[in-house]
Amino acid sequence: MQEQALTAAFAALADPTRRAILSRLALGEANVTELVRPFKLSQPAVSRHLKVLEEAGLITRGRVAQSRPCRLAPEPLRQMADWLDGYRELWDKSFGRLDEYLDELQQQEKLDAPHTAKRR
């Protein structure tokens, strides 16, 4: 994925309303009227969100008579996931070290527990 496209996609998903719209579109295509219902937003406001998602390549919009159904475009999401997977090894190592540290703390607590009980 090109750097600009990746930046646009992440920027588009920075907004919780746009993430919610994508979640809805993951269930199937919907028109603007259907997408407005769960939000306390006007139709023009939702249309602006859709425009950002479309410009980022995350959705496509068709035309059926006067309706403009929106569909999720999964390929950019896959490319974003692939980019994030490049950091998975780093996360796994960090979580592995955290697990080791927590295990050490638990072991230390078990060792300290008998001494603490005797002092009371």
Side-chain angles (χ1 to χ4, degrees):
M1 184 174 223
Q2 289 180 340
E3 190 70 27
Q4 287 179 327
L6 188 62
T7 299
F10 277 113
L13 293 179
D15 184 277
T17 300
R18 291 193 282 270
R19 290 192 305 271
I21 290 170
L22 275 190
S23 293
R24 166 52 188 89
L25 292 176
L27 302 173
E29 98 178 13
N31 61 35
V32 177
T33 304
E34 294 168 320
L35 294 171
V36 167
R37 285 186 194 130
F39 302 104
K40 293 182 179 181
L41 298 173
S42 66
Q43 188 168 340
V46 170
S47 291
R48 285 191 296 273
H49 283 296
L50 292 173
K51 183 176 181 181
V52 171
L53 291 169
E54 186 175 23
E55 288 173 353
L58 296 168
I59 67 167
T60 60
R61 297 174 82 179
R63 184 173 293 278
V64 178
Q66 294 195 357
S67 177
R68 298 228 29 218
C70 302
R71 290 176 208 83
L72 185 66
E75 182 59 23
L77 293 171
R78 187 193 59 77
Q79 291 172 349
M80 293 170 74
D82 289 347
W83 183 83
L84 287 169
D85 276 345
Y87 294 93
R88 185 172 306 279
E89 184 177 338
L90 173 69
W91 297 331
D92 289 345
K93 285 180 183 178
S94 295
F95 286 130
R97 287 193 305 270
L98 179 60
D99 284 342
E100 290 170 11
Y101 178 69
L102 292 174
D103 287 343
E104 288 174 19
L105 287 177
Q106 287 176 341
Q107 291 301 321
Q108 190 61 44
E109 277 184 11
K110 288 178 184 176
L111 293 174
D112 290 347
H115 301 298
T116 306
K118 288 180 185 178
R119 290 184 200 158
R120 291 183 183 172

